[in-house]
Amino acid sequence: MRILITAAGSRGDVDPYTGLGVRLKEAGHEVALAAPEVFAGLVARSGLDFHGLPADPRAAGAPAGSGGTDGADRRGTAALVRAASAFVRDLGHGLAAAATAHDAELLLLSTTTAPLGRHIAEALGVPSLGAYLQPVAPTGDFPPVVGAARPLGRWGNRTAGRLALHVVDRIHAGAVQDLRTELGLPALSARAERRRAERAGWPVLHGFSTVLVPRPADWRTGLDVVGNWWPHVPPDDRLPAVVEDFLQAGPPPVLVGFGSMAAGDGERLGELAVQALRSAGVRGILQSGSAGLATDAGGDDVLTVGDLPHATLLPRTAAVVHHGGAGTTAAALRAGVPAVPVPVMADQPFWAGRVAGLGAATAPVPYAELTAGRLAEAIRAAVTGPGYREQAERAAARMAAEDGAARVVERIGEAAAGAPHSWLVPAS
């Protein structure tokens, strides 16, 4: 089948689909990944076809469920909704163009792209399948992954989850109206289309581990948790010589990185991290990321690096300080390494809480409350405290038994072979 995977947001919202796409390509499908233009190189390295999307997640607050930007978090809810609405208007036009250009026979839609992608599938007369990185369907098991700071009880969790979906509908209202007009479809609101998909049992495969989020028993049929989709890493990938030399020069270091968060705050964060690492008595690697994490502090106990595959580097670290993004949280757990989560925004507090609840991470240190002293204390606990590594290794062993990409390949393979599935019938 000609498959178009669509994803938008930060790098963590896109990179897992490179691994999923490669597995689908190896199974014989023609696969392209549509994502913001900034990720063209990332996708090219995986060998997948690429379709650029005009929406830039760095320029405006992205919708709930995506990585977004820390700047958007400071502008308040109303401003975030306005910025996200503009983001999804551009996104809708780009998704329609990409689906047409690829002559797609199947759309795989991420959390961020699904509210628009289902309309495109309807217009093209092709099936679509949800491929989500976040559990956004309402449940009594936990509150919404974005916006709820604490559990609200089963009734409260479900109610808050439904309200969160209404916010998403509001963000997409104008974009959906424009898109349906552009596609020649009859008028239908974002909320009405979402509810139609729910009634039809539109299937969603969730690419995270049941170790972190077991499938809620109160979810409807068609919502499944299949295991992580890992970013593509070439089999011959090796760490740069300077990193290899650093790793071999002493005990395993602590990796510190904030991914796509904290843009422009790199110098302050770098100095803070070095103080914390040295206070905790450990070596460290600073991964620059969007923050531009760096330090002028001398010494051979800290190394600054750029983008490196988590699968290659993390197993050789003593602990990982990270922003709590879904991908980094899972990667550290997969490596069997203790974590110090420092959540910034969006779904990061949710994932930070889940991994801490497993006993594989220290209690989260909110980014707004981060100090060198608190970070040093947390690093010391992660590296020397009882139980963190043991729990991380135990979780890693359970995750190793999951193959999320294989589950997707199997599901789509059944469809390509002509097996009857309700999701093969496009909405009308």
Side-chain angles (χ1 to χ4, degrees):
M1 300 182 73
R2 290 188 300 278
I3 301 172
L4 179 67
I5 304 173
T6 65
S10 69
R11 177 169 179 159
D13 296 303
V14 174
D15 211 358
Y17 297 104
T18 62
L20 178 59
V22 167
R23 291 287 292 276
L24 287 166
K25 185 176 180 180
E26 290 172 349
H29 302 288
E30 298 178 34
V31 185
L33 177 52
E37 286 284 358
V38 67
F39 300 117
L42 179 73
V43 176
R45 287 192 291 274
S46 70
L48 300 175
D49 292 335
F50 176 73
H51 291 282
L53 299 177
D56 186 349
R58 301 169 303 173
S66 69
T69 60
D70 60 318
D73 192 45
R74 301 189 189 109
R75 292 197 293 266
T77 302
L80 177 59
V81 169
R82 289 194 298 271
S85 296
F87 173 90
V88 298
R89 282 178 187 270
D90 290 341
L91 182 61
H93 300 311
L95 290 171
T100 301
H102 189 61
D103 193 18
E105 296 175 309
L106 171 65
L107 301 183
L108 259 61
L109 307 175
S110 71
T111 317
T112 307
T113 60
L116 300 168
R118 288 194 299 264
H119 301 274
I120 297 168
E122 177 184 348
L124 296 178
V126 301
S128 63
L129 178 65
Y132 286 9
L133 299 178
Q134 296 87 9
V136 296
T139 174
D141 289 3
F142 45 80
V145 298
V146 177
R150 60 183 63 85
L152 305 169
R154 295 198 64 82
W155 181 86
N157 288 343
R158 280 192 294 268
T159 300
R162 288 192 289 267
L163 290 173
L165 292 181
H166 292 332
V167 172
V168 175
D169 293 339
R170 178 185 170 193
I171 288 172
H172 288 84
V176 164
Q177 181 178 349
D178 289 352
L179 184 60
R180 291 188 72 85
T181 299
E182 176 184 336
L183 297 172
L185 295 173
L188 186 70
S189 71
R191 180 181 182 185
E193 191 283 329
R194 172 178 59 79
R195 297 179 73 174
R196 180 179 70 177
E198 291 171 357
R199 288 193 301 270
W202 187 68
V204 180
L205 304 180
H206 293 83
F208 48 78
S209 175
T210 57
V211 175
L212 277 172
V213 185
R215 183 189 184 278
D218 60 354
W219 270 5
R220 65 166 172 83
T221 301
L223 303 178
D224 295 305
V225 179
V226 300
N228 284 92
W229 307 314
W230 302 109
H232 174 68
V233 178
D236 59 350
D237 183 77
R238 298 291 183 273
L239 292 172
V242 64
V243 179
E244 190 65 50
D245 291 345
F246 182 80
L247 290 170
Q248 295 184 19
V254 171
L255 176 67
V256 181
F258 291 90
S260 60
M261 297 291 102
D265 210 12
E267 184 176 350
R268 182 186 73 84
L269 282 176
E271 296 304 321
L272 184 152
V274 170
Q275 292 178 39
L277 291 165
R278 289 176 174 166
S279 178
V282 297
R283 303 195 313 146
I285 294 179
L286 305 184
Q287 192 161 29
S288 56
S290 293
L293 210 63
T295 178
D296 292 330
D300 57 5
D301 58 338
V302 178
L303 176 70
T304 300
V305 301
D307 288 337
L308 294 174
H310 285 156
T312 308
L313 177 60
L314 264 57
R316 302 180 66 180
T317 63
V320 182
V321 178
H322 62 77
H323 60 299
T328 310
T329 298
L333 206 56
R334 180 195 194 190
V337 176
V340 178
V342 184
V344 181
M345 62 169 292
D347 58 340
Q348 295 159 14
F350 173 81
W351 296 110
R354 301 302 289 197
V355 71
L358 288 177
T362 64
V365 180
Y367 179 78
E369 303 172 14
L370 184 64
T371 64
R374 287 194 64 176
L375 185 57
E377 181 181 355
I379 290 173
R380 195 177 299 113
V383 173
T384 65
Y388 290 118
R389 179 167 287 274
E390 178 183 349
Q391 293 301 324
E393 291 174 346
R394 185 174 301 173
R398 292 169 58 195
M399 292 175 76
E402 299 175 332
D403 189 342
R407 294 279 300 278
V408 180
V409 170
E410 178 184 5
R411 185 73 176 270
I412 294 175
E414 292 172 351
H421 283 283
S422 60
W423 64 272
L424 283 173
V425 181
S428 60

